[in-house]
Amino acid sequence: MFVVALLGGLGALLHACKADRWLDDFASQGSGEGTSRPRPTATLGPSAAPGPKGSPARGGGGKPADASVHLALGVPTDDDSSDDSVMRKPQYALSYNADQNVSNWVSWQINAGWFGDAPRHKGKFMTDPELPSGFYRVTHDDYTGSGYDRGHMVRSEERTRSPEDNKVTFLMTNILPQYHDLNAGPWLRLEEHCEDLGRKQGKQLFVMAGGVLKRGKKASKTIGKGVVVPDTYFKIVVVLEPREGPADVTESTRVIAVLMPNKEGIQDEGWEKYRTTVDEIEKRTGYDFLPAVDEDVQAEIEAKKGE
């Protein structure tokens, strides 16, 4: 009996150590040069490696976290799943809308382990080979001459651990049309703030971003072969300590939420001007964000404007 108990205890300890080592191992993988097109980024299933330390919140009705580390705070959902094709990549996760030819949202983790000295991908942006059969695959040329930047959701600089990671940020499923004044203005300044928090201050960030799409309505603006141009963009940033998960989110957790207009003339503006609440973003997009967080905590943090 003693031997069985001892072996069981050792097994549990090894399992816990393995889970705690996962993020470090994940951050050190893949440093070699890739080909001109990224390798297929397999969808993570239930057997995928665990996310950050911290069990899903359950006391207040929070839903279990997803297997993907990029969806550790839950999979955003709305009342119509027919236009949500959820894709889980090692570098980020997203919900793709085949009716609008852009992603509904992109979700990803930022911490120091994602940064390195890999060069920025050179060449054209790439179609995403993992889109389901029958979906139109947006190309680099859909944006050419449109007057809009190919706006990254996951910033190229946030995936410099390896050349392969960086290339995946240039897949068109990670791109939406943005005026240059937004892309190089307040949007960029918030990206730089997130880099400072994750890379220099050692925080762990969970980020969700995308365009505010007109659900069920005909788009007023499109480019290329039916690529919708959002009038407004959103971003939600939950700031945690290393290895923290949904159960560690409290009423005092810092949350940044912004709604930024997709227009010209704002390049010199700071991101702080566009602070809002997660509640307002949910109202505008129709999505429920942070579903793995305790519902009572959600009610508190989603109603507050960040500092």
Side-chain angles (χ1 to χ4, degrees):
M1 295 290 290
F2 173 76
V3 173
V4 171
L6 178 61
L7 290 175
L10 287 172
L13 177 61
L14 289 172
H15 178 76
C17 291
K18 182 178 180 181
D20 283 345
R21 288 199 308 268
W22 176 77
L23 283 179
D24 294 332
D25 293 342
F26 186 54
S28 66
Q29 294 170 358
S31 59
E33 285 285 350
T35 60
S36 60
R37 170 171 290 191
R39 295 190 305 269
T41 47
T43 297
L44 299 180
S47 61
K53 186 177 179 181
S55 58
R58 296 186 184 278
K63 299 176 182 178
D66 192 82
S68 168
V69 67
H70 307 299
L71 294 169
L73 302 189
V75 180
T77 56
D78 65 357
D79 59 3
D80 179 11
S81 62
S82 66
D83 57 4
D84 283 273
S85 182
V86 178
M87 303 171 68
R88 295 163 176 84
K89 302 175 183 292
Q91 296 82 6
Y92 53 87
L94 63 93
S95 164
Y96 195 75
N97 189 322
D99 295 330
Q100 314 256 14
N101 291 317
V102 293
S103 290
N104 296 303
W105 50 260
V106 182
S107 184
W108 68 101
Q109 177 203 46
I110 297 176
N111 62 25
W114 287 104
F115 295 92
D117 56 5
R120 181 181 174 91
H121 166 73
K122 295 180 180 179
K124 286 190 172 185
F125 289 62
M126 295 159 286
T127 60
D128 192 331
E130 294 179 9
L131 282 172
S133 176
F135 282 23
Y136 173 65
R137 285 167 164 73
V138 177
T139 71
H140 177 99
D141 295 337
D142 277 302
Y143 284 65
T144 301
S146 68
Y148 293 94
D149 285 0
R150 299 171 184 86
H152 285 80
M153 295 298 100
V154 183
R155 187 185 179 207
S156 166
E157 287 78 358
E158 293 166 355
R159 294 294 182 260
T160 51
R161 180 188 62 176
S162 72
E164 185 68 26
D165 282 349
N166 190 261
K167 286 177 183 175
V168 174
T169 69
F170 288 83
L171 292 174
M172 296 305 297
T173 47
N174 183 47
I175 305 300
L176 279 85
Q178 293 183 325
Y179 274 115
H180 182 72
D181 283 6
L182 169 64
N183 191 28
W187 191 262
L188 172 62
R189 293 186 182 93
L190 181 52
E191 290 175 328
E192 292 171 338
H193 182 60
C194 290
E195 179 179 354
D196 181 77
L197 288 171
R199 189 174 196 176
K200 298 179 181 178
Q201 298 186 36
K203 302 295 184 181
Q204 174 174 229
L205 279 57
F206 292 100
V207 187
M208 291 132 277
V212 177
L213 305 178
K214 295 179 179 179
R215 317 291 293 207
K217 297 180 181 179
K218 186 176 180 180
S220 57
K221 296 180 185 177
T222 62
I223 60 173
K225 295 181 179 179
V227 178
V228 166
V229 180
D231 293 328
T232 307
Y233 280 83
F234 71 88
K235 181 171 278 190
I236 299 167
V237 184
V238 179
V239 184
L240 295 171
E241 296 300 324
R243 302 186 185 280
E244 288 187 340
D248 302 295
V249 179
T250 69
E251 289 84 352
S252 61
T253 294
R254 185 184 180 193
V255 177
I256 300 169
V258 296
L259 282 164
M260 297 185 182
N262 191 20
K263 67 179 185 178
E264 298 176 304
I266 62 173
Q267 187 168 349
D268 295 331
E269 295 179 352
W271 66 266
E272 297 89 347
K273 176 179 178 179
Y274 298 105
R275 286 192 185 102
T276 186
T277 65
V278 176
D279 279 343
E280 181 62 24
I281 294 174
E282 291 183 334
K283 179 181 176 182
R284 297 280 298 275
T285 64
Y287 279 92
D288 175 29
F289 292 98
L290 315 180
V293 175
D294 181 276
E295 288 181 349
D296 292 335
V297 174
Q298 281 188 61
E300 290 287 331
I301 63 175
E302 292 184 358
K304 295 189 299 185
K305 275 192 179 181
E307 298 179 0

